[in-house]
Amino acid sequence: MKRLLRFLRANGLTLAFGAGFLLALAGQAVAGHAEFNNRLVAEELRPVGFGGYLLTSDFAVDVTENWQSEYLQFFLYIFGTVWLLQHGSPESKELDKAGTETDKEQKVGRYARADSPRWASVGGVRQAWYSRSLGMVMCSLFLLSWLAQSVTGVAAYNEEHLRGLQAPISWSAYLTAADFWDRTLQNWQSELLAVGSMAIFSVYLRQRGSPESKPVGSAHTSTGVEG
């Protein structure tokens, strides 16, 4: 029991957000199923069961279009904050540390410590990959979820058009269609707004105890300082 409690305490952030994700996904599925059937009934078609709805392209595209925008946000933020700075923000590095920093600052190569990840000290391609692995994984997840959005999106788009007795379009044609870019850009703009707002709001506003905020008493000009 103590071991379980220690595990829950040590991984509380991931577990809480993971549980929240599953609950939100389940809620989206329930609401989406109801809305999907409302559209079918309005078109004088037979409603589908909940299990059947989970296999539809409508549900898949709604999920993947949000995933790709979230991973894009983190990918851009991880790479952007290497070089881009915001004076006074804890979301930014200090103003004299733009760039990839020195091996000593990053604790790699001969500066690696005993408890450093093994690939931090091996050098060569493995160290180069590992030193950029977080951004590369986020970029890969963005591209994969964006691809999934395009595939499920064209299926949902064609299904809707076929119900209206309109001709379907190819996947390549869908990539230039207004529906694809409307779904994509409405998510991108919200993610970019949220990240930009966080960077500038955290210069002047505080949240006591949060690592995303500066200490309450820190000056507005303090940069790269976390609470």
Side-chain angles (χ1 to χ4, degrees):
M1 187 64 178
K2 289 183 178 179
R3 181 177 297 180
L4 175 61
L5 291 176
R6 284 197 300 268
F7 174 81
L8 293 175
R9 179 181 176 84
N11 298 279
L13 186 61
T14 299
L15 293 172
F17 275 89
F21 160 72
L22 294 176
L23 289 172
L25 184 63
Q28 178 188 348
V30 171
H33 175 235
E35 175 58 25
F36 185 70
N37 278 339
N38 286 342
R39 296 203 311 268
L40 292 179
V41 170
E43 297 172 8
E44 300 182 349
L45 298 171
R46 180 181 298 178
V48 301
F50 183 70
Y53 171 71
L54 295 181
L55 300 177
T56 64
S57 54
D58 280 70
F59 177 66
V61 71
D62 287 343
V63 170
T64 55
E65 72 179 61
N66 286 285
W67 288 4
Q68 61 89 3
S69 64
E70 296 297 335
Y71 283 119
L72 174 67
Q73 173 194 143
F74 284 110
F75 162 63
L76 292 178
Y77 200 62
I78 290 166
F79 272 97
T81 51
V82 174
W83 298 99
L84 302 178
L85 308 170
Q86 175 57 59
H87 183 56
S89 176
E91 300 296 312
S92 167
K93 296 191 294 185
E94 296 176 12
L95 300 182
D96 61 345
K97 290 188 177 180
T100 55
E101 302 178 6
T102 65
D103 286 354
K104 183 177 182 179
E105 291 171 318
Q106 287 292 307
K107 300 179 178 64
V108 297
R110 63 191 180 93
Y111 299 103
R113 302 182 306 192
D115 59 351
S116 295
R118 185 166 59 89
W119 281 16
S121 59
V122 294
V125 174
R126 286 181 295 175
Q127 185 192 106
W129 182 89
Y130 185 70
S131 66
R132 295 164 178 82
S133 56
L134 180 60
M136 292 170 66
V137 167
M138 289 296 178
C139 180
S140 299
L141 290 172
F142 158 64
L143 293 174
L144 288 172
S145 55
W146 199 20
L147 174 63
Q149 178 200 332
S150 70
V151 172
T152 56
V154 70
Y157 183 84
N158 283 336
E159 182 180 338
E160 183 177 348
H161 276 61
L162 287 171
R163 291 202 300 265
L165 303 180
Q166 296 175 287
I169 64 173
S170 66
W171 175 73
S172 58
Y174 181 69
L175 294 182
T176 62
D179 182 80
F180 175 68
W181 286 104
D182 176 56
R183 287 178 177 275
T184 295
L185 294 174
Q186 67 177 299
N187 284 282
W188 287 7
Q189 56 87 12
S190 63
E191 300 301 337
L192 294 171
L193 174 65
V195 172
S197 298
M198 180 63 180
I200 191 63
F201 288 166
S202 60
V203 175
Y204 303 103
L205 305 178
R206 307 286 188 271
Q207 181 59 54
R208 185 167 183 161
S210 174
E212 300 303 314
S213 167
K214 294 185 288 189
V216 178
S218 293
H220 293 326
T221 54
S222 297
T223 305
V225 179
E226 297 179 347

